[in-house]
Amino acid sequence: MTLDKVRRGMWATVSRLPEGATKAQMTRFGLGEGEVIQCSEVLSRGPVVVRKGTLEVAVGRRLAEQIEVTPGDDTRPGGGEGR
């Protein structure tokens, strides 16, 4: 599943980022592979806003289409694994 397909409130784990500068930038934001994130907003035809802790990042739609995520439980991080 890609990030552009997540719904508001949904938890997910980042499983793959595009290589190169984009991967480096996302990692600097703390959104590297293996990180558990929550979708806080999906703007129509616009960015997907994700949250990790107190950090919120708006990810453009085209970039979100390239970021693979593993969906988790809609109410708890990491699919309800107690993270």
Side-chain angles (χ1 to χ4, degrees), residues 6 11 13 18-20 26-28 32-33 37-38 41 43-44 53 55 57 60 63 65 68 72 74 77-79 83:
V6 298
W11 291 91
T13 302
E19 292 298 324
M26 295 297 286
T27 301
R28 280 193 289 275
E33 293 171 353
I37 58 173
Q38 183 181 31
E41 192 68 50
L43 303 172
S44 178
L55 173 72
V57 176
L63 178 55
E65 292 170 353
E68 291 184 22
D74 282 354
R83 287 188 210 175

Side-chain angles (χ1 to χ4, degrees), residues 17-64:
L17 293 168
E19 292 298 324
T22 300
K23 184 174 189 172
Q25 185 67 30
M26 295 297 286
T27 301
R28 280 193 289 275
F29 282 137
L31 299 175
E33 293 171 353
E35 296 293 338
V36 177
I37 58 173
Q38 183 181 31
C39 177
S40 56
E41 192 68 50
V42 179
L43 303 172
S44 178
R45 298 186 185 190
V48 177
V49 182
V50 296
R51 176 183 300 141
K52 178 188 164 208
T54 59
L55 173 72
E56 279 194 325
V57 176
V59 180
R61 185 65 58 160
R62 287 187 195 168
L63 178 55

